[in-house]
Amino acid sequence: GQNIDQPTEMTATEGAIVQINCTYQTSGFNGLFWYQQHAGEAPTFLSYNVLDGLEEKGRFSSFLSRSKGYSYLLLKELQMKDSASYLCAVFKAAGNKLTFGGGTRVLVKP
Amino acid sequence: DGGITQSPKYLFRKEGQNVTLSCEQNLNHDAMYWYRQDPGQGLRLIYYSQIVNDFQKGDIAEGYSVSREKKESFPLTVTSAQKNPTAFYLCASSPPGQGEGYTFGSGTRLTVV
């Protein structure tokens, strides 16, 4: 079975930093994706981590620890448009499947 | 432009009726997927297909059916056996291998009244 946990909701102030944690317990693991989803829209790709460590892409960074079953997405210099849900997803090469966590709704306030 | 198209964007049906959601891609991707999303929830896998004429059940396949007669198309039928069909349905496709991620369609919001 698979278990992927993220906080349900987080609130932060414009210009601040927010860290969204994701823990997972899965049978089989080949990588971890982060997606952003605005309400009523399709998810859009943010990052993909295969190896342990930090991947930085502009204002967004993602970290993975395979031994701890843990990842986080770091959003810096928050903007109002960053208000969205952020989905953590575990990739299994067998079946080429993504399994998603419940998503974290981030609300950015002025 | 290559992409994945879902239609319609909004769909209303009466309880007890079957309904088919369309998903078409011109990305030449082998794999296609159907997910369901309920309000405030993550995505749950309904069915997926790695190759034409083959598909597998996901985590919540009961009450749904699919076909994969062409590489470009992966329609989903929501049958009357699905107890709570009202949801946001997302179709996705991906090439083989890791790191490519999925390309998602824009989704179909199904409301059963």
Side-chain angles (χ1 to χ4, degrees), chain A residues 22-60:
Chain A
C22 172
T23 58
Y24 61 90
Q25 294 174 310
T26 63
S27 54
F29 175 89
N30 294 102
L32 191 136
F33 284 87
W34 283 96
Y35 283 84
Q36 179 191 60
Q37 185 182 27
H38 285 98
E41 297 181 9
T44 55
F45 170 81
L46 289 178
S47 69
Y48 178 54
N49 292 69
V50 177
L51 302 175
D52 286 359
L54 187 68
E55 298 269 348
E56 296 187 79
K57 261 190 198 180
R59 294 190 298 115
F60 292 3

Side-chain angles (χ1 to χ4, degrees), chain B residues 10-46:
Chain B
Y10 298 95
L11 190 56
F12 295 87
R13 277 295 180 270
K14 290 185 178 179
E15 196 171 335
Q17 288 182 334
N18 291 357
V19 59
T20 297
L21 282 58
S22 168
C23 179
E24 303 278 333
Q25 54 100 358
N26 60 4
L27 299 164
N28 201 33
H29 286 173
D30 289 312
M32 297 186 74
Y33 310 83
W34 274 106
Y35 286 88
R36 168 184 173 137
Q37 188 174 34
D38 293 286
Q41 306 286 317
L43 279 63
R44 292 185 290 166
L45 183 63
I46 304 172

